[in-house]
Structures are given as structure tokens and as C-alpha cells.
């Protein structure tokens, strides 16, 4: 009798815990497994490539880290001003219909699979515009992928500013530029920076689009211009993982995965920390 | 000597009258539609050159919208609004907004110090050149000086809601506006803060026109010299406060005073 009473009391809570458990457990298992496999491999020899041969491993991983970071930074540098401009246009000048169109378009762009972006980049930027497989082509295509995320985040940041503050500034005679610089920017920058960091994490984790447009398996350590291809951690893992029969090569792939995850987590956690600081500041 | 004084008087008086007339705000057949809905319809009035005009009416009457039209926060209206004989649409928007200050219902302070909030509406050069005495004067006019005298460098967010509202007032006053519009400025305040703002505004109303939106009929009676009664986007009645409350001309006005609702 008591058992049924307790069961009745906690059935909804229990059911929800049961359903939501995989969302926490599975990624944790995945993360722990990657670290367990990758951490023992990460040493100076693997990173520098000293005494290792074959599969491009002799060059170590510094080139790949550099390539990934270059692509990530380039994509963000290209996408950030566009995202900011669009978000400001949306808030300042777009009428209801334009706002609806922009919103629909952004969600549509966000739902396009990255591999399709890669294919588009290969035909348009690599072949049609003759950019070749290059850092620039990769940056542009990654910028296109993270653009909706950055715009939606910037819109969220601007929406969080109270109507009263904007109206007060306007009623004091501030023009559009003064409103942006003196009211919106100081209030919105923490959220916008958070979005930027999340955009960096997203750009760092994309593989498919740069596979066709920016990267080669090996041979390039430090690209001398934006028109040269790069090697990246993401594609390095992809190539190495295909050598399933070679235990050493696969273990290096785990090492690269650990490095990549560390970088992505670094940006994501910084974003999370910034958001928390901003929320704390707003509450106090 | 007497003759001389008389001649001065005759010269001076018309000039003053013209100046007073010139600073009047005239609304002529003002109509506004937002998303297909008529918010204001054919509203005409001329605001007195000094004193407090209370804009009263039920919720949704279009009172706040009217203020936003006068401040050019809304511009898609029909009809005409003139200020100093010139349509406000032909005036520089930013300058007009400095001349006709607007204080909102909820105080909105900016994330900077109390001092910087007061001078927020000034240009960069003015902010650099402004004397501390001017800032103090604006704070005194807004009845906030005594409370913030020793903490001008503190963040404005640390002030209470009532103090923030008075800070918004000081911020508008330092621009030396020719007219001030207040959209239910005391609705979110405690009685003490409300009294302070009312007293301060009644003092200010002696030298400039104030347009005060209020839901509180007692307050309107207490503070105002003139009444504009609006309902459903239309101006139902306008008169001096005494006449409006003692001898309302329209049945809608009587109903509103009795039930606080209007059946237009």
C-alpha cells in the first residue's frame, strides 16, 4: 500500500529523471572515453612528431592546431561584422515583414546540413571563383555556417535591452549611432561576446565543409597565405580514423580528438562563464 | 516717467505674447493607425504655454501614444503637429526631442554613474565642458540633490525606483527643455516619492508647459491647471481643472469620473 502511494507521488518526477538521464550520462561517457583514450597519447613526441613516421605524423600536431585556429578565427572575423550589422538593421530599420523574412531565412540557413555548405563551397568558391582549396575558401564557408548563430545571438542580446532604456535614450535626442555606441553596446556586449565564443566553438567543431574547401591530408605545416590549404585537427582525425587496422595511428586520432575537445570546451566554458558573470551583474 | 513706462509696457507685452504663442504646441486633426487599428482619431488641441496639463482617460485611450507622436517616436501619423508655428516633422528630430523632454512610466537609467546619467543627453563637448554646479542644479530641480550629494560617482542602478525616476527627470532638465511630457511618472512609486515629484513638477510648471499623463484622477485634480480627457483615441473634453471636475460638459467625462471607465 505504502509502495503504491510513494510510486503515485513520485511517478512523474521519476519518469522525467529516467527520460532525461541519457542526456547527461551519454555525453559524459563519451567525454570520459575520449579523454581516457586520448590523454595517454598526448605527449611531446606526438605533438612535435619527433621519431614518428608515416601518415603525416612526422610533422606532429602543431600545424593542425594552427590550421584549426586560423580557420576558426578567420570565420569569426568574417562573420562577426555581418552578424552585428544585420542584427542592428533588424532592430533599427526593418519593418515587421522584413523582420519576419530575415528570421525565417536565418532558421532556414541554420537547418542546412554542413556537408551541403561544403559542396556549395567546393563548386562556388574553389572552382567557380578559382580560390582553390584554400584557407580563404574554408573561412568563408565556415563564416556562412556560423552566421545564423551569431545573428540570432546578437538579436537575443539586443532584445534583452529594455524598451524603456532605448526610448529614454531616443527621447534625450540620441541619434542611431549614439544609441548603438552609448546604450546598446555597453548593455549587449557580454551576451554578444558569449555568442562569439560559441561561434568559435562551432567553427572549430565543423569538419564536413572544410574537408572539400580548405584542408589537405598532409604536406602543409604553416600556410604562407590565405590562398594555401591547411591541415586541421578535425580532418586529421577523419583521415587517421580511416586507418582502423593500425592501432598506433588510431590512438593518435584519439589524441587529436582530445586536443580538439579541449579547445572547443575552452571556448564553450568561457562563454558560459561570461554569461554567468553577466547574469550575476544584472541581478545585483 | 509714467508715459515712458507705459510705452515700454506696450512695446514689451506683444513681444512676450508672441514668444509665448510661438512656444505653444498645436495639434491639428491628428490621426494614427498602427497595424490597421485606429489609435488616435482627428485629435485637435493647443496646449497652454505654461502650467501642468493632465492627460487623463481609460487604459488604451491613446494617451501614451499621443506623447510618442509629439516626441516623434511615432511619425506615421496624419494631420499636423506644430511647435513654434512650424511642423515638428520639419524640425531636426534630435533637437526636437531635447526641446520636448519625455519621462517614461518606468525609470530607465543607463549603466554608468549617477553623474554620467544626468549628463547622458548632452553632446561630448558639452559633457566635457559642463560645470558641476549645472549638474547640481538639475538634481536640485528634480528634488534628488540631498539624497545623492555625496554619491554622484556611484552606479545609478544602486538608486531606488523613486530616486531613479527623479534622476531621469534631472537628465531631462539639464537639457533645458522648452516643454516636458511625463507618462505616468509616479505610477510605480511610493507615496513619498510621488509627493516629491509632484511638488517639484508643480514648481517647474510655473515656467514651462508640462503634459502629464495620469490614471489617478485625484492626482490630476491636485497637480494640474488644465485637463485633456481622452477616450478611444479621441479628445472628449478639454478645460481648466476646476471646470472639468466641478462642471464637466460631456456625459463621458462624468461617467469616467464616477466609474473610471468610459463607454465611448
Amino acid at each position: 500500500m505504502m509502495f503504491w502511494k510513494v510510486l503515485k507521488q513520485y511517478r512523474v518526477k521519476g519518469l522525467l529523471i529516467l527520460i532525461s538521464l541519457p542526456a547527461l550520462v551519454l555525453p559524459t561517457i563519451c567525454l570520459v572515453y575520449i579523454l581516457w583514450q586520448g590523454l595517454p597519447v598526448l605527449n611531446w613526441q606526438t605533438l612535435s612528431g619527433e621519431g614518428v613516421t608515416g601518415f603525416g605524423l612526422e610533422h606532429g600536431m602543431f600545424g593542425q592546431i594552427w590550421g584549426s585556429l586560423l580557420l576558426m578565427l578567420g570565420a569569426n572575423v568574417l562573420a562577426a561584422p555581418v552578424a552585428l550589422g544585420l542584427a542592428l538593421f533588424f532592430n533599427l530599420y526593418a519593418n515587421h515583414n522584413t523582420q519576419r523574412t530575415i528570421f525565417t531565412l536565418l532558421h532556414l540557413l541554420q537547418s542546412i546540413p554542413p556537408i551541403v555548405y561544403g559542396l556549395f563551397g567546393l563548386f562556388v568558391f574553389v572552382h567557380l571563383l578559382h580560390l582553390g582549396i584554400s584557407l580563404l575558401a574554408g573561412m568563408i564557408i565556415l563564416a556562412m555556417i556560423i552566421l545564423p548563430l551569431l545573428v540570432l545571438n546578437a538579436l537575443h542580446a539586443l532584445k534583452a535591452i529594455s524598451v524603456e532604456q532605448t526610448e529614454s535614450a531616443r527621447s534625450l535626442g540620441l541619434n542611431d549611432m549614439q544609441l548603438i555606441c552609448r546604450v546598446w553596446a555597453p548593455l549587449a556586449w557580454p551576451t554578444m561576446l558569449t555568442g562569439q565564443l560559441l561561434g568559435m566553438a562551432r567553427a572549430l567543431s565543423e569538419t564536413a565543409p572544410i574537408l572539400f574547401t580548405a584542408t589537405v591530408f598532409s604536406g602543409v605545416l604553416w600556410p604562407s597565405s590565405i590562398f594555401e590549404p591547411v591541415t586541421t585537427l578535425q580532418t586529421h582525425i577523419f583521415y587517421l580514423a580511416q586507418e582502423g587496422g593500425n592501432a598506433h595511428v588510431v590512438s593518435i586520432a584519439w589524441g587529436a580528438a582530445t586536443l580538439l575537445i579541449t579547445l572547443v570546451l575552452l571556448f564553450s566554458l568561457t562563454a558560459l562563464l561570461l554569461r554567468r558573470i553577466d547574469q550575476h551583474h544584472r541581478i545585483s | 516717467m509714467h508715459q515712458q513706462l507705459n510705452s515700454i509696457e506696450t512695446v514689451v507685452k506683444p513681444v512676450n505674447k508672441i514668444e509665448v504663442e510661438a512656444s505653444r504646441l498645436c495639434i491639428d486633426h491628428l490621426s494614427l493607425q498602427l497595424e490597421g487599428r485606429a489609435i488616435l482619431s482627428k485629435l485637435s488641441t493647443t496646449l497652454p504655454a505654461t502650467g501642468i496639463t493632465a492627460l487623463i482617460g481609460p487604459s488604451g485611450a491613446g494617451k501614451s501614444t499621443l506623447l510618442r507622436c509629439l516626441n516623434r517616436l511615432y511619425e506615421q501619423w496624419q494631420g499636423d503637429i506644430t511647435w513654434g508655428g512650424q511642423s515638428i516633422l520639419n524640425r531636426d528630430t534630435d533637437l526636437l526631442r531635447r526641446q520636448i523632454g519625455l519621462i517614461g512610466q518606468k525609470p530607465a537609467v543607463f549603466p554608468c554613474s549617477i553623474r554620467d546619467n544626468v549628463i547622458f543627453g548632452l553632446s561630448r563637448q558639452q559633457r566635457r565642458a559642463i560645470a558641476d554646479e549645472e549638474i547640481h542644479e538639475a538634481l536640485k530641480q528634480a528634488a534628488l540633490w540631498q539624497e545623492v550629494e555625496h554619491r554622484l560617482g556611484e552606479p545609478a542602478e544602486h538608486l531606488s525606483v523613486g530616486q531613479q525616476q527623479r534622476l531621469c527627470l534631472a537628465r531631462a532638465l539639464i537639457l533645458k527643455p522648452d516643454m516636458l511630457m511625463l507618462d505616468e511618472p509616479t505610477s510605480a512609486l511610493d507615496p513619498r516619492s510621488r509627493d516629491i515629484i509632484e511638488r517639484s513638477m508643480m514648481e517647474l510648471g510655473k515656467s514651462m508647459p508640462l503634459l502629464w499623463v495620469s490614471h489617478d484622477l485625484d492626482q490630476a485634480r491636485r497637480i494640474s491647471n488644465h485637463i485633456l480627457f481622452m477616450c478611444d483615441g479621441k479628445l472628449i473634453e478639454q478645460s481648466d481643472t476646476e471646470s472639468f471636475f466641478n462642471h464637466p460638459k460631456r456625459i463621458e467625462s462624468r461617467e469616467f469620473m464616477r466609474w473610471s471607465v468610459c463607454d465611448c
Side-chain angles (χ1 to χ4, degrees):
Chain A
M1 194 66 187
M2 187 69 183
F3 172 75
W4 290 114
K5 203 176 172 184
V6 171
L7 187 73
K8 203 175 170 185
Q9 197 177 353
Y10 292 107
R11 65 186 170 181
V12 178
K13 190 178 176 182
L15 189 70
L16 288 179
I17 289 175
L18 206 67
I19 291 171
S20 55
L21 218 54
L24 298 169
V25 173
L26 289 177
T28 310
I29 290 174
C30 178
L31 191 69
V32 170
Y33 188 75
I34 292 167
L35 294 177
W36 180 58
Q37 290 279 358
L39 279 177
V41 187
L42 282 181
N43 49 42
W44 179 249
Q45 197 186 17
T46 326
L47 288 170
S48 65
E50 280 172 19
V52 192
T53 50
F55 290 102
L57 300 178
E58 62 273 18
H59 300 304
M61 284 190 209
F62 287 124
Q64 279 90 350
I65 295 171
W66 180 236
S68 288
L69 289 175
L70 274 180
L71 274 172
M72 174 201 80
L73 283 172
N76 273 275
V77 166
L78 288 177
V82 180
L84 187 64
L86 185 57
L88 291 173
F89 170 79
F90 185 96
N91 266 38
L92 280 173
Y93 307 114
N95 60 29
H96 186 64
N97 284 340
T98 315
Q99 285 186 341
R100 212 165 46 187
T101 311
I102 292 173
F103 220 68
T104 313
L105 216 72
L106 286 172
H107 282 101
L108 196 76
L109 288 174
Q110 223 176 12
S111 61
I112 295 175
I115 191 80
V116 178
Y117 274 111
L119 198 66
F120 172 79
L122 176 68
F123 280 93
V124 176
F125 299 121
V126 176
H127 295 314
L128 204 67
L129 299 175
H130 301 293
L131 290 179
I133 299 214
S134 63
L135 196 53
L136 182 61
M139 282 174 180
I140 296 173
I141 215 71
L142 275 180
M144 284 170 68
I145 291 172
I146 62 170
L147 188 66
L149 172 79
L150 295 188
V151 179
L152 289 171
N153 179 76
L155 288 177
H156 173 71
L158 292 175
K159 205 177 170 186
I161 298 170
S162 73
V163 181
E164 286 83 13
Q165 270 170 322
T166 302
E167 258 191 19
S168 284
R170 285 236 182 267
S171 64
L172 289 171
L174 267 68
N175 59 33
D176 290 348
M177 191 48 100
Q178 289 168 327
L179 179 71
I180 292 167
C181 298
R182 297 186 55 208
V183 182
W184 287 358
L187 290 167
W189 77 264
T191 316
M192 287 207 183
L193 191 62
T194 305
Q196 201 66 44
L197 288 165
L198 289 174
M200 285 181 173
R202 172 84 195 269
L204 207 54
S205 55
E206 285 296 344
T207 310
I210 53 169
L211 204 61
F212 298 156
T213 53
T215 62
V216 287
F217 171 50
S218 67
V220 181
L221 275 182
W222 313 98
S224 55
S225 84
I226 53 169
F227 299 104
E228 278 195 12
V230 284
T231 52
T232 63
L233 279 174
Q234 300 96 301
T235 44
H236 195 53
I237 296 165
F238 176 75
Y239 292 127
L240 296 181
Q242 286 176 332
E243 297 301 319
N246 189 333
H248 174 66
V249 172
V250 173
S251 72
I252 301 287
W254 283 117
T258 306
L259 264 180
L260 187 63
I261 277 192
T262 311
L263 286 173
V264 171
L265 281 180
L266 198 73
F267 287 109
S268 301
L269 290 177
T270 314
L272 217 77
L273 191 75
L274 253 171
R275 186 170 289 181
R276 197 163 290 177
I277 291 171
D278 182 41
Q279 275 169 355
H280 178 73
H281 177 72
R282 274 169 202 256
I283 290 165
S284 65
Chain B
M1 183 68 183
H2 184 72
Q3 240 179 356
Q4 204 179 354
L5 277 175
N6 265 349
S7 68
I8 290 171
E9 212 176 5
T10 48
V11 171
V12 168
K13 262 191 175 173
V15 174
N16 283 344
K17 198 178 176 191
I18 288 165
E19 277 174 0
V20 166
E21 288 301 318
S23 64
R24 279 190 167 194
L25 190 81
C26 303
I27 303 165
D28 185 23
H29 287 86
L30 181 72
S31 298
L32 175 76
Q33 283 204 340
L34 290 176
E35 290 167 17
R37 205 178 131 239
I39 309 293
L40 300 174
S41 53
K42 294 187 177 168
L43 208 139
S44 297
T45 187
T46 300
L47 293 184
T50 54
I52 299 178
T53 303
L55 185 54
I56 58 169
S59 296
K63 306 182 294 291
S64 301
T65 311
L66 175 63
L67 297 198
R68 275 150 189 77
C69 288
L70 302 178
N71 200 251
R72 282 186 68 176
L73 289 171
Y74 289 137
E75 290 185 326
Q76 61 274 42
W77 36 263
Q78 288 89 48
D80 203 9
I81 303 172
T82 54
W83 170 250
Q86 191 185 3
S87 170
I88 61 166
L89 289 179
N90 297 333
R91 284 173 171 267
D92 179 72
T93 317
D94 303 331
L95 190 66
L96 178 88
R97 287 178 182 156
R98 286 189 169 95
Q99 288 173 330
I100 304 179
L102 174 66
I103 311 286
Q105 190 174 350
K106 281 189 199 162
V109 295
F110 301 111
C112 49
S113 70
I114 295 169
R115 185 185 188 279
D116 289 346
N117 259 278
V118 177
I119 57 173
F120 202 86
L122 299 174
S123 68
R124 187 181 296 186
Q125 289 89 344
Q126 286 173 321
R127 287 203 299 275
R128 278 187 194 147
I130 192 155
D132 283 344
E133 286 70 33
E134 273 191 75
I135 298 171
H136 302 170
E137 187 52 40
L139 285 165
K140 278 174 193 165
Q141 271 190 297
L144 186 62
W145 172 243
Q146 285 184 336
E147 291 155 70
V148 297
E149 193 178 352
H150 302 295
R151 44 193 286 218
L152 288 175
E154 275 185 31
E157 290 106 324
H158 289 184
L159 297 174
S160 70
V161 182
Q163 290 171 327
Q164 285 186 11
Q165 188 65 296
R166 280 179 277 153
L167 181 62
C168 293
L169 194 60
R171 199 169 60 192
L173 290 174
I174 206 163
L175 298 176
K176 298 190 170 50
D178 297 320
M179 179 183 162
L180 211 53
M181 300 190 293
L182 304 111
D183 190 0
E184 297 184 56
T186 57
S187 62
L189 305 187
D190 57 276
R192 185 181 163 270
S193 303
R194 185 199 63 202
D195 290 346
I196 294 172
I197 288 190
E198 279 182 9
R199 273 201 301 274
S200 162
M201 289 301 96
M202 284 164 83
E203 193 58 37
L204 206 66
K206 290 174 186 167
S207 57
M208 69 161 84
L210 262 71
L211 185 55
W212 184 315
V213 171
S214 181
H215 259 123
D216 184 348
L217 286 176
D218 290 333
Q219 184 184 52
R221 192 170 200 164
R222 206 164 47 232
I223 59 162
S224 70
N225 313 96
H226 314 275
I227 295 280
L228 294 180
F229 171 53
M230 274 181 76
C231 185
D232 200 25
K234 294 185 277 284
L235 186 62
I236 306 293
E237 186 172 341
Q238 52 182 323
S239 64
D240 62 274
T241 306
E242 276 306 305
S243 310
F244 181 82
F245 283 103
N246 296 329
H247 314 287
K249 293 184 193 85
R250 299 284 297 264
I251 188 161
E252 293 93 335
S253 309
R254 282 196 288 274
E255 268 180 16
F256 182 67
M257 275 189 270
R258 194 165 175 195
W259 308 107
S260 288
V261 289
C262 180
D263 200 18
C264 291

